[in-house]
Amino acid sequence: MKCYRIAAVPGDGTGPEVIREGRKVLDTAAKKFGFKIEWTDYDLGGARYLKTGELLPDSALAEFRKQDAIYLGAIGDPGVKPGILEKGILLRLRFELDQYINLRPIKLYPGVDCPFKERGPDDIDFVVVRENTEGLYTGTGGFLKKGTQDEVAIQVSINTRKGVERCIRYAFEYCRKRDRKKQLTLCGKTNVLTFAFDLWERAFYEVAKEYPEIKTAYAHVDATTMWMVKNPEQFDVIVTDNMFGDIITDLGAMLQGGMGVAAGGNLNPEGVSMFEPIGGSAPKYTGRNVINPMAAILAGMMMLDHLGETKAAGAIEAAVVKTIQEDLKCMDAGKMGLGTTEVGNRVAKNLG
Ligand code: IPM
Ligand code: MN
């Protein structure tokens, strides 16, 4: 029997609650489709940092490198200064494991209550391919004369030809494999960021020559946010840099019904990938059994798909859709009409 070794990092806040439900569904899928998941738990996050000062021990990183994938809940703690846990754990994992793609599907499932509820998967079904190891996220820069009237703060966007090109090439490949509209949109800001996006644009159209069957399009990032709301049906796959990808996928989460359904994969197509709900640790909902575990369940679905268990992944998605249509009033925490555990139970039941 096939066995996958998965590192579970429930993390902070509501992370453990949603990962628990996700594992319930994944284990049910494993039983049904005849494979095994061997879980190893890692207690990384704010609590551990506050107790021991540790963020991501090298030993944990070394073990992650030998796993088939990582299943992450949330990282972030109101008691820790912003940036420490994010940089020390989440971003360090993305960088060290060279997870250069952040794949974020934006799909409005039927029956989801949201400002776009008149629409459905025919209108809102696209995927953002976000570059995940460069741009403004590398921490390049610093202060001069910090705290004085002459203070200077510099934060540099790093764009390497190699990093940009591998991301763009992944997006073209993904668009081909997805086989829907066969249209890839580069989202940038060529009218202002005339160095960074000049490189992106050149790489984009050069790689495009290898994919004659894929239509190319370009949109500035500000216009992209407008089109996402006005005419989301025009998009198929969007490729963009790290910062823009971060911003437009929170907007994307709202198109699909909220952070409660938005999932993503941090992919190293040649290495170890990590799957997570894209929302944060939601401290105000922690421990109350009100948070929506769908995003974590869908992150688990993406993980199985990535591991090659496409049938199991499809069945999880179908079980999620059934649960949303039959049982959930809304995707927001506290308004679902069911508790976190019950949502997990329903999805597992609909699957089994
Ligand atoms: C995300 C998050 C992270 C990011 C934060 C927590 C560092 O917002 O995964 O989108 O900016 O990438
Ligand atoms: Mn984000």
Side-chain angles (χ1 to χ4, degrees):
M1 190 186 286
K2 230 181 167 161
C3 178
Y4 300 102
R5 285 173 311 153
I6 309 289
V9 184
D12 298 314
T14 50
E17 295 168 59
V18 298
I19 288 301
R20 185 191 64 220
E21 298 314 312
R23 284 175 60 161
K24 190 186 283 175
V25 172
L26 290 170
D27 286 332
T28 307
K31 217 178 269 162
K32 180 165 176 184
F33 289 90
F35 59 91
K36 245 194 86 184
I37 301 177
E38 193 182 294
W39 298 98
T40 312
D41 284 282
Y42 292 86
D43 72 328
L44 307 176
R48 175 164 179 173
Y49 174 70
L50 290 169
K51 225 184 327 167
T52 69
E54 281 172 302
L55 288 161
L56 174 59
D58 289 338
S59 57
L61 193 55
E63 289 176 34
F64 289 160
R65 291 184 198 281
K66 291 186 244 150
Q67 303 279 340
D68 291 310
I70 303 166
Y71 190 42
L72 176 79
I75 297 290
D77 187 311
V80 181
K81 194 174 153 227
I84 295 179
L85 301 172
E86 292 85 344
K87 275 192 173 175
I89 302 175
L90 181 64
L91 299 183
R92 182 147 181 254
L93 279 170
R94 289 176 182 171
F95 293 158
E96 293 270 6
L97 299 174
D98 204 19
Q99 293 164 341
Y100 60 89
I101 299 296
N102 198 325
L103 191 70
R104 296 190 162 179
I106 294 161
K107 189 165 175 180
L108 177 59
Y109 289 116
V112 170
D113 183 29
C114 77
F116 300 88
K117 62 182 168 216
E118 307 306 317
R119 318 197 198 208
D122 288 343
D123 298 311
I124 298 176
D125 184 358
F126 60 96
V127 178
V128 175
V129 175
R130 164 185 173 189
E131 200 292 320
N132 210 32
T133 53
E134 299 192 344
L136 280 165
Y137 274 71
T138 61
T140 308
F143 295 108
L144 264 178
K145 303 183 186 175
K146 188 176 179 185
T148 73
Q149 286 300 313
D150 298 322
E151 177 161 359
V152 180
I154 297 176
Q155 195 107 37
V156 180
S157 176
I158 304 284
N159 297 266
T160 68
R161 173 72 200 210
K162 179 182 156 200
V164 168
E165 190 173 320
R166 68 182 177 175
C167 174
I168 288 173
R169 181 162 278 111
Y170 179 90
F172 273 105
E173 286 290 334
Y174 185 84
C175 191
R176 174 189 271 169
K177 225 180 90 200
R178 180 170 147 90
D179 198 18
R180 289 176 66 94
K181 293 201 187 77
K182 297 238 178 138
Q183 179 191 288
L184 180 63
T185 304
L186 171 63
C187 163
K189 191 72 185 172
T190 53
N191 52 350
V192 175
L193 305 180
T194 50
F195 309 127
F197 279 99
D198 188 81
L199 190 160
W200 273 84
E201 200 179 28
R202 277 182 283 118
F204 183 69
Y205 289 110
E206 278 168 36
V207 176
K209 290 188 196 135
E210 298 166 33
Y211 300 87
E213 81 276 27
I214 310 274
K215 290 187 287 290
T216 54
Y218 172 82
H220 293 319
V221 63
D222 47 349
T224 302
T225 62
M226 176 193 67
W227 292 122
M228 279 173 69
V229 173
K230 196 167 183 279
N231 291 109
E233 70 283 350
Q234 70 174 284
F235 292 118
D236 179 16
V237 180
I238 297 178
V239 63
T240 191
D241 84 347
N242 210 339
M243 187 83 259
F244 292 166
D246 177 47
I247 297 168
I248 68 171
T249 52
D250 263 29
L251 174 59
M254 293 303 120
L255 297 185
Q256 59 185 144
M259 298 312 279
V261 254
N266 301 273
L267 311 182
N268 176 342
E270 297 86 34
V272 181
S273 300
M274 175 167 76
F275 298 82
E276 54 171 340
I278 82 170
S281 56
K284 72 173 180 189
Y285 298 123
T286 301
R288 294 172 43 198
N289 197 41
V290 295
I291 197 80
N292 190 347
M294 284 303 191
I297 293 169
L298 289 166
M301 171 203 83
M302 290 180 75
M303 181 165 75
L304 291 190
D305 192 56
H306 175 82
L307 292 169
E309 295 294 339
T310 47
K311 271 196 191 141
I316 291 178
E317 188 173 38
V320 164
V321 168
K322 187 168 152 70
T323 307
I324 288 174
Q325 283 187 310
E326 292 177 0
D327 303 315
L328 286 196
K329 284 210 194 78
C330 168
M331 303 308 276
D332 294 341
K335 298 181 192 153
M336 298 185 291
L338 286 179
T340 309
T341 317
E342 289 68 41
V343 175
N345 290 347
R346 296 284 170 104
V347 177
K349 185 173 145 262
N350 286 335
L351 178 65

